[in-house]
Amino acid sequence: GQSVPAKKSVAADGLRIEYLPLSGLLRAPRNPKGHDLGALHQSMARFGYVAPLLLDDATGHLVAGHGRLDALQQAKAAGKLPPPRIKVEAGEWLVPVVRGIAFDTPTEAEAYLIADNRLTDLGGWNDAELAKVLSDLAGQDALAGTGYDADDLDALLKSLDVGGTPEPGSGEEGRDGLQHCPKCGFTWKP
């Protein structure tokens, strides 16, 4: 295997959140990650702005949060009000940004940008558990802003051989009054 060199990339005063002007934030020179801006807008509309951008203090460029940056820039350009946790001073949107990290080289910063996105992909999903959580959220009309909709849930249930959104009476009723799929353990309200 490859050895990973020891790097001192956290500043002596540690990580911190600073509010920086949206208009002054710089993207990484290369970022191959795509973004679903519509889903990001829905998420910010529901939850506010909860995941700060990450800035490499050595280069002054972002290493995480390009999609969130794009969504904020679109919202501001469209004249929308900023989501919660975005400050406004003299018409400028101030965005929470994680500071205190300085990668040793631009190559290290770029490698982190890829790792930040790819490592989430590699984790995958436990599809049966995801179906349960999404179904519970759908049953409470709470899918908005999650990046999933009823069509996504139906496709997931079909892939699990549950057959789409369950119909009343299609499972086995438990003592709790809920329907339970005998194949995957999926539970729903009749």
Side-chain angles (χ1 to χ4, degrees):
Q2 292 179 319
S3 64
V4 177
K7 301 280 183 191
K8 184 182 179 212
S9 45
V10 176
D13 55 350
L15 297 178
R16 64 194 179 281
I17 303 247
E18 292 181 11
Y19 279 79
L20 301 178
L22 177 64
S23 63
L25 295 170
L26 301 175
R27 289 172 173 68
R30 299 191 308 169
N31 180 19
K33 178 72 173 78
H35 303 95
D36 184 334
L37 295 181
L40 285 167
H41 285 294
Q42 287 180 341
S43 181
M44 285 185 205
R46 178 172 181 187
F47 305 114
Y49 188 83
V50 296
L53 307 175
L54 184 75
L55 187 79
D56 176 17
D57 286 338
T59 64
H61 291 100
L62 293 182
V63 291
H66 292 82
R68 294 184 300 274
L69 176 65
D70 290 343
L72 289 172
Q73 288 174 330
Q74 269 188 356
K76 186 173 190 306
K80 294 182 180 178
L81 293 175
R85 290 173 282 285
I86 298 294
K87 298 178 181 180
V88 179
E89 289 182 7
E92 178 70 60
W93 286 17
L94 301 177
V95 180
V97 177
V98 175
R99 301 289 307 268
I101 294 179
F103 291 96
D104 290 340
T105 66
T107 300
E108 285 298 299
E110 192 169 63
Y112 177 79
L113 180 149
I114 298 299
D116 184 68
N117 288 289
R118 180 63 175 147
L119 296 176
T120 299
D121 291 342
L122 290 174
W125 291 97
N126 174 328
D127 287 344
E129 189 64 26
L130 177 61
K132 290 176 191 179
V133 172
L134 292 176
S135 295
D136 288 347
L137 290 172
Q140 298 171 51
D141 196 25
L143 280 177
T146 65
Y148 289 90
D149 60 21
D151 291 340
D152 296 323
L153 177 56
D154 281 346
L156 178 59
L157 292 172
K158 285 177 184 168
S159 76
L160 292 170
D161 198 26
V162 174
T165 304
E167 296 296 325
S170 64
E172 299 172 357
E173 186 166 341
R175 284 187 246 168
D176 54 10
L178 299 174
Q179 296 286 314
H180 301 273
C181 174
K183 291 182 182 178
C184 70
F186 173 73
T187 301
W188 69 96
K189 294 178 186 178

